[in-house]
Amino acid sequence: MRSTWTDSRLDEFKDQVNTSLKDLGQRMDHQSDRIDRLQHTILVVGGGLFAAFVAVLAAIIGLIATQI
C-alpha cells in the first residue's frame, strides 16, 4: 500500500467518489418513487375501507331506525 497520494491518484479517487454518489442518488430517486407508489396504494385502500365502514354503519343505523 502506498503511503503517498499523488495528484492523479487523488483525481481518480474524486472521480470514483463522484460516480458512486451519482449512482447512490439514482437509487435513492428510485426508492423515493417506490415509496410514493406505496403511499398512494395505502391511501386508496384505506379510503376504500373507511367508505365501506361508513356504509355498513349507515346500514346498521338504518336497520335499527326501521325496527323501532
Side-chain angles (χ1 to χ4, degrees), residues 29-42:
D29 290 340
H30 178 69
Q31 285 295 88
S32 179
D33 292 340
R34 291 180 65 193
I35 290 171
D36 288 343
R37 288 193 310 263
L38 177 62
Q39 184 179 14
H40 175 73
T41 302
I42 289 171

Side-chain angles (χ1 to χ4, degrees), residues 7-23:
D7 286 342
S8 63
R9 288 195 61 201
L10 286 173
D11 289 339
E12 289 172 13
F13 177 70
K14 179 188 70 140
D15 293 338
Q16 287 176 349
V17 169
N18 287 340
T19 302
S20 297
L21 288 175
K22 190 179 297 182
D23 292 342

Side-chain angles (χ1 to χ4, degrees), residues 39-57:
Q39 184 179 14
H40 175 73
T41 302
I42 289 171
L43 287 173
V44 168
V45 170
L49 287 173
F50 180 74
F53 174 74
V54 169
V56 168
L57 186 61

